Amino acid sequence: MNCTPSSKAIEELGERISEGIKHMVQSLGEEMGKEGRTLEWIEQAVMQALKETGQTLVAGLCELNVERYVAAEIKCACGGRAVYQRKRTGQTKTLFGEVEVKQPYYLCAQCRHGQCPLDKRLEFCAGGVSGGLYELMALMGAEFVFGEAASMLEKLTLVHVS
């Protein structure tokens, strides 16, 4: 399994982020001439734009960990062999919002257990929340009642949790 990102892939991610930031500056700069653009508006607009940039960066960094050359099969915890099925998209909520990563999915004929090696390596929980978001949710939940905690989390991170 080759998980070392190529320098080309890293460079392409950097260019994608750089282009996104240029677009953000251009877009926010054009908005500044409109009525009602206060410091508070600027802060909120910048936070939203940075959240979106962070979301792209987190997803891109996760994708850099996807094997470039998919193995035909991998070992399964049951002792059997899990066979490559397809690339499967997994989503998880992070401190920057929902990210999607397309990754190899394997299925073991012996125990019928499916697995994505990237999930284990990055502690990526498809359909769940990241470790960073989980920790913040736990801290907020310990300090506030549930509704207040969810509201406070969204105010601070711009990420909605139900």
Side-chain angles (χ1 to χ4, degrees):
M1 228 182 304
N2 184 356
C3 303
T4 305
S6 71
S7 57
K8 182 180 181 202
I10 294 170
E11 186 177 324
E12 287 172 356
L13 177 59
E15 288 172 5
R16 196 168 45 170
I17 296 300
S18 180
E19 284 302 312
I21 289 173
K22 285 179 188 174
H23 176 72
M24 171 181 57
V25 171
Q26 179 72 34
S27 177
L28 291 175
E30 290 170 3
E31 285 289 315
M32 288 308 303
K34 296 182 180 175
E35 187 73 28
R37 299 305 185 231
T38 64
L39 180 57
E40 182 181 2
W41 180 90
I42 294 169
E43 289 173 322
Q44 289 300 312
V46 169
M47 274 193 53
Q48 182 63 44
L50 290 175
K51 176 189 161 229
E52 291 167 9
T53 301
Q55 199 172 9
T56 301
L57 182 56
V58 169
L61 291 170
C62 287
E63 288 170 3
L64 288 177
N65 281 276
V66 174
E67 295 86 10
R68 285 187 280 163
Y69 307 106
V70 177
E73 60 181 36
I74 59 174
K75 290 180 187 177
C76 182
C78 76
R81 303 295 293 171
V83 178
Y84 174 74
Q85 301 294 304
R86 66 188 179 281
K87 288 256 183 157
R88 188 162 111 173
T89 301
Q91 300 98 1
T92 194
K93 251 186 194 183
T94 72
L95 289 170
F96 295 95
E98 186 118 332
V99 296
E100 286 189 358
V101 177
K102 196 167 192 172
Q103 57 180 307
Y105 172 74
Y106 297 84
L107 183 65
C108 178
Q110 189 171 317
C111 70
R112 306 298 300 161
H113 178 74
Q115 57 182 303
C116 294
L118 184 67
D119 290 353
K120 186 174 183 180
R121 194 167 54 253
L122 293 181
E123 297 178 1
F124 185 97
C125 181
V129 298
S130 69
L133 182 58
Y134 182 81
E135 181 179 11
L136 196 53
M137 287 169 52
L139 287 169
M140 295 302 232
E143 291 296 322
F144 305 100
V145 295
F146 181 76
E148 287 177 19
S151 177
M152 184 73 72
L153 181 71
E154 187 168 0
K155 184 108 174 131
L156 293 171
T157 66
L158 305 180
V159 175
H160 175 74
V161 293
S162 59

